Amino acid sequence: MTAAASPVTRDVLLTCPLDCPDACRLKVTLARGADGTERMTKVGGDPDHATTRGFACAKTVHYPARQNHQSRPLYPMKRVDGELVRIGWAQALDEIAQRLRGILATSGPSAILPYHYAGTMGLREGTHVHSFFRALGACELDETICASAGTEAWSMGYGARYGVDMQDVPHARTVVLWGINSLSTNSHLTPWLTMARKNGARIWHIDPYRNRTSRFADVHLKLKPGTDTALSLGLAREIVRQGWHDADYIQQATQGFAEYRRAAEGYTLARTAEITGLDVQDISELARAVGQNSPTYIRVGYGMTRHENGGTALRSVSLLPALTGDWRRRGGGCTLSTSGAFALNRTRLGAAHLIRPGARHVNMNELASALAPDAGIEALFVYNTNPAVVAPDSSRVRSGMARPDLMTVVLEQAMTETARLADYLLPTTTFLEHADLYTSYGHHSLGYNPATLPAPGEARPNSWVFAELGRRLGLDTPELYWSMDELMAALLATDHPHLADITPERLKAEGSVALSLPEVFLPYADGAGTPSGKVMFTPAPEYVPVSAQLDADYPLRLLTPPAHHFMNSTYGNVPYLTRAEGNEPQVMVHPADAQRYGVQDGAHATLGSEQGQVRRRVRVTADVQPGVLVVEGTWWGLSAPDGSSINTLTAQTLTDLGAGSTFHNTRVWLRPWGSAAHPSS
């Protein structure tokens, strides 16, 4: 008997599709089994990629478990008598198209809602697929759940979102990581931070609770949630008072400084300390570091924007390098996103040119209200997101999705809680199984992925699904049927210098191509891309406390930041990663609050807000501050003891800028599980 041949393996280089600034170039190992089928078996990092530098994050090294998951949807399914049963593609598409014809005839396209986000960052399968809905004239979804507050805040001050090149960070002498747990959410920044430290930089971390990044930093400032604007204005006042500001840069490159200076004048060190809960000495030392030990590199995260006043908070922090003139120094400045550097021709991406002026808009943070029986939505298409878990007020979202008169169509790679609510569940391909093009919001390289593995079962790309529906409905929008080559050609049809010498052919040949930027990239050294051409200090930011103030009924603030081993809800079905996070979601409680509210370490407790209640296991720790609870990670409700997402507690309240989400704005009560109901419940 001849022994079975060993599986043949090969490595391929592909860009990670997930919603992360690192946009890693991955080294993926494929193994061919005895049946001739190749499977993904291992993930590492491309050692030759300037940012990835040979390692993948603690999450994505486990992507094979998701790719090959036994419960991955592989065939179209339809809900029949309350159960999802397998059907063929032709039946699924024909029935969905027939239902859409009826809705279009009786209620019009505004009764059709697409709901999507960044499950893939691919420009084809993540963005261009919106062409189908724009060809129909359906509702326009405002993608506001993550970045919109920060985007509008940055646009007011600077225009397009540029940032400090990661490779320039070692030139910084002061590093401030503000509202970001970068060791968990931007892990490929860490080697550059380490180099900066070796070069003499001191690293500060500003965050309401102690996490991995706090432990990595030299100093951690545990400010009260939602007080970032006050801290930044207090720093600005001290920098100006000491004469550490850059008068030349302010004169030449900015506008509105006098107004900004007046706004900051009231934030003495004492008042700033009172508002933020920080020590006067710590605030003074940070001001001195930012003002005197330059270049100062500030890495801001979207965490600070998750409050009602979050847009203003980020805008206020982002203006500090304009005050100090650090935009003129290599390694100095501020990074929220580098996405503005990717000056692609997006005029026809997603058929954006077809958006009708009078189209109905739905803010994705308000999905619960949009799915109310009287709100007029009759068909919901969900792709690249998991709203049953991630959307605010998730209990009402789930109720809306389950409406018997609503057609819910879900395109998915995993059997998520959203997929389980579908009337039609359509299996889709992963990043190994379709071609796509990727930008980044953390570095400056484009990434191209070819289709590398055949799709398992009957999985199909999003683009194929919507093109097939378009044909059945007789849509003649050319963009809906573009190939990958046609899309790339359109995106690269620009003479912008950042894209000089970058062609579809080169992208296909090289896979990852750096933008054509100057050797030293100082995007705001002489001004900004605002209408005035200047960095705008005006209108001056003002600290406004959130309206959801803590009180006797809701005395605690709940924060729900990312977990180290999760990427939003993408890895919620990977056992190793859920085990690494403790097997179930836990609420971090300060010892003083644990004593006050009678909860014990390791026991279950009930948390309640105006929206609902959840049950969570308690972890008593001084990593959080009194009055603040933290639940890390967007866990699937299936992993929680009560089967509920943490977003059962969060509200649809919107930010001051950009109409963004306010997940950290939630006020709650806490009691031992099983004890008498809270008076407000």
Side-chain angles (χ1 to χ4, degrees):
M1 180 179 294
T2 303
S6 298
V8 177
T9 64
R10 65 184 175 113
D11 292 335
V12 296
L13 299 177
L14 299 170
T15 295
C16 180
L18 301 180
D19 185 9
C20 169
D22 295 15
C24 290
R25 195 69 177 170
L26 302 174
K27 183 169 76 170
V28 178
T29 300
L30 307 176
R32 187 180 302 279
D35 63 354
T37 302
E38 281 190 311
R39 290 163 60 90
M40 180 191 207
T41 58
K42 184 180 179 182
V43 176
D46 178 359
D48 298 321
H49 190 271
T51 301
T52 308
R53 295 166 62 87
F55 74 95
C57 72
K59 303 171 269 287
T60 299
V61 292
H62 297 284
Y63 199 97
R66 183 179 187 275
Q67 169 79 14
N68 305 317
H69 201 283
Q70 61 183 3
S71 68
R72 178 179 172 184
L74 297 177
Y75 302 94
M77 304 186 83
K78 175 185 178 181
R79 187 167 301 281
V80 178
D81 296 330
E83 300 292 331
L84 287 170
V85 299
R86 178 177 170 180
I87 60 174
W89 271 110
Q91 179 185 347
L93 294 168
D94 288 345
E95 291 181 4
I96 293 168
Q98 181 179 5
R99 183 76 174 269
L100 288 175
R101 287 190 201 97
I103 293 171
L104 290 167
T106 59
S107 303
S110 64
I112 302 168
L113 174 64
Y115 196 88
H116 45 80
Y117 201 60
T120 174
M121 299 295 286
L123 294 179
R124 188 182 195 203
E125 301 303 329
T127 305
H128 194 62
V129 289
H130 307 338
S131 300
F132 172 71
F133 298 98
R134 288 164 180 167
L136 288 176
C139 290
E140 189 67 23
L141 185 75
D142 295 335
E143 295 184 89
T144 53
I145 203 165
C146 181
S148 62
T151 299
E152 184 168 336
W154 194 275
S155 178
M156 288 175 65
Y158 293 101
R161 285 176 292 169
Y162 297 122
V164 180
D165 193 293
M166 208 179 290
Q167 297 173 62
D168 285 341
V169 171
H171 293 272
R173 291 299 172 267
T174 297
V175 173
V176 183
L177 306 172
W178 198 322
I180 182 172
N181 182 5
S182 66
L183 267 70
S184 294
T185 63
N186 189 187
S187 59
H188 289 81
L189 176 61
T190 308
W192 306 103
L193 297 175
T194 300
M195 286 185 232
R197 173 180 275 150
K198 288 180 179 178
N199 291 338
R202 195 176 192 204
I203 300 175
W204 299 70
H205 187 221
I206 303 174
D207 201 282
Y209 81 109
R210 183 173 174 82
N211 50 48
R212 288 174 186 263
T213 302
S214 312
R215 289 185 278 273
F216 169 81
D218 298 301
V219 183
H220 175 214
L221 302 185
K222 195 186 289 185
L223 85 170
K224 292 179 181 177
T227 63
D228 306 83
T229 302
L231 177 56
S232 65
L233 290 172
L235 294 173
R237 181 188 185 277
E238 183 67 7
I239 288 168
V240 172
R241 188 179 75 84
Q242 297 286 357
W244 298 330
H245 57 299
D246 189 328
D248 181 66
Y249 181 84
I250 291 168
Q251 173 65 31
Q252 294 183 22
T254 77
Q255 184 173 309
F257 174 68
E259 178 187 344
Y260 173 78
R261 183 174 183 171
R262 286 193 298 272
E265 189 58 36
Y267 291 87
T268 63
L269 291 174
R271 185 184 178 209
T272 303
E274 180 182 4
I275 294 171
T276 62
L278 301 175
D279 292 335
V280 166
Q281 185 63 31
D282 287 339
I283 300 169
S284 176
E285 287 184 9
L286 177 57
R288 180 177 295 276
V290 172
Q292 287 201 304
N293 195 21
S294 65
T296 293
Y297 167 70
I298 303 175
R299 176 64 166 101
V300 289
Y302 290 100
M304 75 178 76
T305 72
R306 304 289 192 255
H307 303 272
E308 294 169 63
N309 56 13
T312 297
L314 193 140
R315 180 164 176 265
S316 183
V317 174
S318 73
L319 290 173
L320 290 173
L323 179 66
T324 59
D326 273 299
W327 287 117
R328 287 182 170 171
R329 305 179 185 107
R330 188 173 189 178
C334 181
T335 296
L336 170 68
S337 169
T338 61
S339 57
F342 294 86
L344 298 164
N345 181 352
R346 297 172 180 262
T347 54
R348 297 171 73 188
L349 178 65
H353 62 293
L354 295 183
I355 299 175
R356 292 159 172 78
R360 177 183 175 183
H361 282 249
V362 172
N363 185 312
M364 70 184 303
N365 295 307
E366 298 177 326
L367 180 62
S369 295
L371 294 182
D374 59 354
I377 298 299
E378 300 177 30
L380 173 70
F381 285 77
V382 179
Y383 52 101
N384 302 332
T385 189
N386 184 14
V389 170
V390 305
D393 204 353
S394 60
S395 290
R396 283 210 300 143
V397 169
R398 293 168 64 89
S399 295
M401 291 181 67
R403 277 172 35 209
D405 61 325
L406 176 73
M407 179 178 69
T408 299
V409 180
V410 178
L411 289 71
E412 250 302 350
Q413 307 162 350
M415 190 57 75
T416 64
E417 283 152 280
T418 298
R420 294 164 193 260
L421 290 168
D423 295 307
Y424 292 91
L425 174 58
L426 307 180
T428 55
T429 49
T430 69
F431 75 107
L432 292 95
E433 300 154 3
H434 56 244
D436 220 327
L437 182 66
Y438 302 87
T439 61
S440 169
Y441 58 95
H443 61 69
H444 293 120
S445 292
L446 281 165
Y448 170 76
N449 288 355
T452 303
L453 288 180
E458 296 178 6
R460 298 289 185 269
N462 292 340
S463 54
W464 181 90
V465 174
F466 291 125
E468 288 298 309
L469 286 173
R471 292 185 180 98
R472 283 165 170 77
L473 294 173
L475 300 179
D476 58 4
T477 300
E479 292 81 6
L480 177 57
Y481 307 105
W482 274 358
S483 66
M484 187 70 239
D485 287 348
E486 289 172 314
L487 176 59
M488 281 207 296
L491 289 168
L492 293 170
T494 173
D495 58 2
H496 196 284
H498 290 182
L499 296 167
D501 301 321
I502 300 179
T503 63
E505 294 75 22
R506 184 182 172 196
L507 279 165
K508 285 185 172 183
E510 298 180 27
S512 179
V513 177
L515 299 179
S516 299
L517 300 179
E519 182 178 351
V520 180
F521 185 50
L522 303 175
Y524 305 113
D526 300 307
T530 60
S532 68
K534 307 284 188 180
V535 177
M536 299 300 293
F537 282 115
T538 182
E542 282 285 353
Y543 169 65
V544 177
V546 299
S547 60
Q549 287 292 297
L550 304 182
D551 57 25
D553 289 332
Y554 300 99
L556 301 163
R557 187 73 66 193
L558 173 66
L559 310 181
T560 56
H564 184 72
H565 294 92
F566 289 174
M567 171 63 67
N568 302 318
S569 74
T570 297
Y571 291 113
N573 63 339
V574 177
Y576 177 86
L577 296 177
T578 57
R579 286 196 301 271
E581 290 294 334
N583 290 310
E584 64 177 292
Q586 301 173 39
V587 56
M588 300 165 66
V589 183
H590 190 273
D593 289 326
Q595 182 175 12
R596 180 175 182 181
Y597 298 106
V599 299
Q600 307 221 354
D601 187 63
H604 282 138
T606 303
L607 291 73
S609 73
E610 287 101 325
Q611 282 64 51
Q613 300 180 19
V614 301
R615 176 182 165 193
R616 292 293 182 267
R617 192 173 298 281
V618 172
R619 179 153 67 93
V620 178
T621 172
D623 285 348
V624 297
Q625 55 186 286
V628 176
L629 307 180
V630 173
V631 176
E632 291 184 320
T634 309
W635 291 74
W636 289 16
L638 296 170
S639 297
D642 59 352
S644 297
S645 164
I646 196 63
N647 285 313
T648 300
L649 301 178
T650 59
Q652 297 185 135
T653 307
L654 303 178
T655 54
D656 51 353
L657 301 175
S661 61
T662 57
F663 292 119
H664 298 342
N665 209 65
T666 309
R667 57 183 188 174
V668 298
W669 48 260
L670 177 72
R671 61 177 170 82
W673 178 69
S675 65
H678 187 271
S680 299
S681 63

